[in-house]
Amino acid sequence: MKTVNEVSKLTGVSIRTLQYYDQIGLLKPAEYTESGYRLYDDAALEKLQQILLFKELEFPLKDIKDIINRSDFDKTKVLEQQIELLELKKEHIENLLNLCKYLKVRGVRKLDFTAFDSSKLDEYARKAKEQWGQTPAYKEYAEKSKNWTKEYESGLMADFTKLFEEFGTMKEMDPASKEVQSQVKRVQDFITENMYTCTNDILYGLGTGYVGGGELTENIEKMGGKGTAEFIFRAIKIYCGRPD
């Protein structure tokens, strides 16, 4: 048995975080001492390892809790899927140099690595992924992308980025205008053709992510300028018939 302090030193997870995991039912200690101190056995540590792996893959804690507590949770299968996703992230790092060279050839004036800090556009694929990547949309994306070469992927990413750059030139227009709505459809069609079937519901979900703050919003602002993310979301809401 290990105390919460020992587990914290072993894993790098803070004591406060371990206490929080206990409170929300994500990771319960094996037992408590008479004084109320938490004690963790090997099974609890193995579970913590799975939690940390899912966190590395950017799963919300709520989803992690649902996954690891499922009656059909298959540790071996999940580990295989985690390895595959981590390999995609590793591959993306290798692709960055090719992407930058491609963009330079296209005459891009400002080159910024952070605008593409994702694995095979995982900012978008992740929106279609549920539990651990077994929704029809995610399967469709995996099937379409399995034979991509690095050069093809780099070109695809650059073309997708260009759509957001073009949105940036439209910010002074009415988001309900024909031109802007046509641009929204171009985004939807691009995702459907190259990644997965982008229904209006999925498109709206992506739009909410664009204005959700953090890295994705920052990247869009770098592509199209300040205010682009909010403008795109307003246009998507109109396109999808969602009220303000």
Side-chain angles (χ1 to χ4, degrees), residues 6 11 59 90 96 105 117 137 158 164 177 183 185 196 198 230:
E6 290 172 332
T11 64
F59 281 80
K90 177 184 176 182
L96 279 173
V105 170
D117 186 21
F164 291 92
S177 67
Q183 186 72 1
K185 188 175 189 306
Y196 49 82
C198 185
E230 179 62 34

Side-chain angles (χ1 to χ4, degrees), residues 103-164:
L103 293 175
K104 184 176 181 180
V105 170
R106 290 171 64 101
V108 175
R109 290 169 302 202
K110 183 178 180 182
L111 202 57
D112 192 334
F113 281 86
T114 60
F116 311 106
D117 186 21
S118 60
S119 174
K120 288 190 175 179
L121 303 174
D122 67 345
E123 291 287 1
Y124 304 94
R126 189 167 62 248
K127 296 294 183 179
K129 184 173 62 176
E130 183 179 86
Q131 295 179 348
W132 55 85
Q134 293 303 303
T135 63
Y138 186 77
K139 289 180 179 179
E140 183 181 358
Y141 171 79
E143 179 65 26
K144 286 184 176 181
S145 63
K146 67 180 181 181
N147 294 321
W148 286 358
T149 64
K150 294 180 180 180
E151 292 76 13
Y152 178 81
E153 181 186 352
S154 295
L156 189 68
M157 292 174 71
D159 289 340
F160 197 34
T161 298
K162 189 172 180 60
L163 294 175
F164 291 92

Side-chain angles (χ1 to χ4, degrees), residues 174-177 181 233-242 244:
D174 183 348
S177 67
Q181 289 298 295
F233 182 47
R234 288 167 57 201
I236 287 176
K237 285 200 295 183
I238 295 169
Y239 182 89
C240 297
R242 299 295 183 99
D244 289 327

Side-chain angles (χ1 to χ4, degrees), residues 58-243:
E58 302 178 14
F59 281 80
L61 292 181
K62 180 181 182 301
D63 290 350
I64 297 174
K65 181 180 177 181
D66 291 341
I67 292 170
I68 64 178
N69 288 329
R70 285 178 54 150
S71 59
D72 60 347
F73 181 67
D74 186 333
K75 295 178 183 178
T76 301
K77 180 180 178 181
V78 171
L79 185 58
E80 290 174 353
Q81 292 166 342
Q82 288 170 330
I83 290 172
E84 182 179 356
L85 288 170
L86 287 169
E87 285 178 345
L88 289 175
K89 287 180 176 288
K90 177 184 176 182
E91 180 183 335
H92 175 68
I93 295 174
E94 296 171 350
N95 289 343
L96 279 173
L97 182 58
N98 288 330
L99 171 61
C100 291
K101 289 179 179 179
Y102 184 92
L103 293 175
K104 184 176 181 180
V105 170
R106 290 171 64 101
V108 175
R109 290 169 302 202
K110 183 178 180 182
L111 202 57
D112 192 334
F113 281 86
T114 60
F116 311 106
D117 186 21
S118 60
S119 174
K120 288 190 175 179
L121 303 174
D122 67 345
E123 291 287 1
Y124 304 94
R126 189 167 62 248
K127 296 294 183 179
K129 184 173 62 176
E130 183 179 86
Q131 295 179 348
W132 55 85
Q134 293 303 303
T135 63
Y138 186 77
K139 289 180 179 179
E140 183 181 358
Y141 171 79
E143 179 65 26
K144 286 184 176 181
S145 63
K146 67 180 181 181
N147 294 321
W148 286 358
T149 64
K150 294 180 180 180
E151 292 76 13
Y152 178 81
E153 181 186 352
S154 295
L156 189 68
M157 292 174 71
D159 289 340
F160 197 34
T161 298
K162 189 172 180 60
L163 294 175
F164 291 92
E165 293 173 350
E166 291 170 352
F167 264 121
T169 68
M170 299 178 173
K171 293 197 296 288
E172 301 305 319
M173 300 173 65
D174 183 348
S177 67
K178 181 179 179 180
E179 293 84 353
V180 176
Q181 289 298 295
S182 293
Q183 186 72 1
V184 174
K185 188 175 189 306
R186 287 182 65 196
V187 170
Q188 184 180 42
D189 290 346
F190 187 96
I191 295 171
T192 295
E193 180 179 352
N194 296 289
M195 301 173 214
Y196 49 82
T197 302
C198 185
T199 64
N200 281 8
D201 285 341
I202 289 178
L203 181 63
Y204 181 79
L206 292 173
T208 60
Y210 296 163
V211 292
E215 182 180 311
L216 180 55
T217 302
E218 292 174 2
N219 290 342
I220 292 174
E221 303 283 276
K222 289 172 183 175
M223 296 174 197
K226 186 175 181 179
T228 301
E230 179 62 34
F231 177 76
I232 295 174
F233 182 47
R234 288 167 57 201
I236 287 176
K237 285 200 295 183
I238 295 169
Y239 182 89
C240 297
R242 299 295 183 99

